[in-house]
Amino acid sequence: MAANSTLDASESEVDYFNDKELESYLASEEFQIDEKKDTSFKCLYCPKVCLSKRGMTRHVNCKHPEKSVQKPKQQQKVTAEEILPLDKFKTILGNCLAILSKDECYPTEITSSFNVNHHDVSPYYETLYDVIKPLVVSFKLKGDAEKFYPSFLSTVTEAMFPGLDGFCSNVLRYELANHVLAFLSKAKLVNNTIELDYAIV
């Protein structure tokens, strides 16, 4: 009796091919290999046969490295200025200050420190930008949001925000990390929280 193409879970017994039926089934059109469509790749240096060009390349690179013709990977030439222009960075920094100056989670003496009229970023935003440029390029090439935060926070220190005390500098650098990452990953900021589900990396 021929095997069922689909098995019913309620069946107590499963039918199997006998030798003759199996031979007949394997000879059927379903199992015929069209010789014109043979896509096997034969190694030039040994009897190995691979089913794909990629597999053959891997085989040659591994087993016959002296014959391997590996092309060096071309590094993507991308600059921080193309990814995050300086004027855009200044706008992001200004937006962070504006948000923090209105944040009701902090007392007035803290929020007033972030007031744009009180705190001017002009003397230092270019220096700050130069510091984060390698992080911007690295994120563009690797797209790793989890590594971006610790890298950003270890690179951008509290001392880089002259005119703000240690607490306010710390708050601003976390806010800035969020906004820069949101920009780089094209994510949405919802209630000042990054929604990476929307990211298009």
Side-chain angles (χ1 to χ4, degrees):
M1 187 183 289
N4 295 327
S5 56
T6 57
L7 296 177
D8 187 350
S10 64
E11 288 182 309
S12 57
E13 290 184 12
V14 178
D15 294 327
Y16 295 95
F17 286 120
N18 63 33
D19 291 344
K20 203 170 194 178
E21 288 169 332
L22 179 60
E23 194 174 310
S24 171
Y25 187 62
L26 293 176
S28 69
E29 286 182 25
E30 238 178 290
F31 285 87
Q32 293 305 307
I33 298 172
D34 186 349
E35 288 181 11
K36 293 176 187 175
K37 293 183 182 177
D38 181 17
T39 56
S40 61
F41 294 84
K42 294 174 182 149
C43 181
L44 299 172
Y45 315 109
C46 73
K48 177 75 174 175
V49 176
C50 295
L51 297 177
S52 68
K53 187 175 182 180
R54 185 177 173 188
M56 180 51 65
T57 302
R58 193 168 50 242
H59 163 75
V60 172
N61 291 343
C62 183
K63 299 295 182 182
H64 314 289
E66 71 285 354
K67 308 288 185 183
S68 167
V69 185
Q70 287 183 325
K71 293 178 182 175
K73 289 184 180 178
Q74 291 183 344
Q75 286 293 329
Q76 246 182 312
K77 290 183 180 177
V78 63
T79 64
E81 290 81 1
E82 293 170 320
I83 304 163
L84 175 61
L86 177 60
D87 59 337
K88 182 62 183 175
F89 174 72
K90 186 179 181 183
T91 302
I92 290 172
L93 184 54
N95 289 343
C96 290
L97 288 170
I99 288 166
L100 292 172
S101 70
K102 296 172 187 169
D103 194 329
E104 295 177 357
C105 292
Y106 300 110
T108 309
E109 54 270 17
I110 298 293
T111 56
S112 63
S113 298
F114 299 117
N115 189 296
V116 179
N117 298 327
H118 180 268
H119 186 75
D120 182 18
V121 298
S122 298
Y124 69 84
Y125 81 94
E126 289 184 41
T127 304
L128 191 56
Y129 178 73
D130 286 338
V131 167
I132 69 160
K133 284 200 290 190
L135 303 175
V136 169
V137 173
S138 176
F139 181 82
K140 178 67 177 177
L141 296 177
K142 297 175 185 173
D144 192 338
E146 288 182 10
K147 286 187 179 174
F148 179 81
Y149 272 107
S151 299
F152 189 96
L153 296 171
S154 64
T155 304
V156 178
T157 63
E158 294 171 18
M160 293 181 180
F161 300 97
L164 293 175
D165 65 24
F167 178 80
C168 292
S169 296
N170 216 13
V171 169
L172 180 54
R173 70 192 189 114
Y174 275 92
E175 190 74 19
L176 187 59
N178 275 340
H179 285 259
V180 170
L181 179 59
F183 177 82
L184 295 178
S185 61
K186 297 179 176 63
K188 286 189 180 180
L189 277 166
V190 179
N191 295 327
N192 207 31
T193 303
I194 297 177
E195 297 287 337
L196 286 171
D197 292 345
Y198 294 102
I200 308 166
V201 180

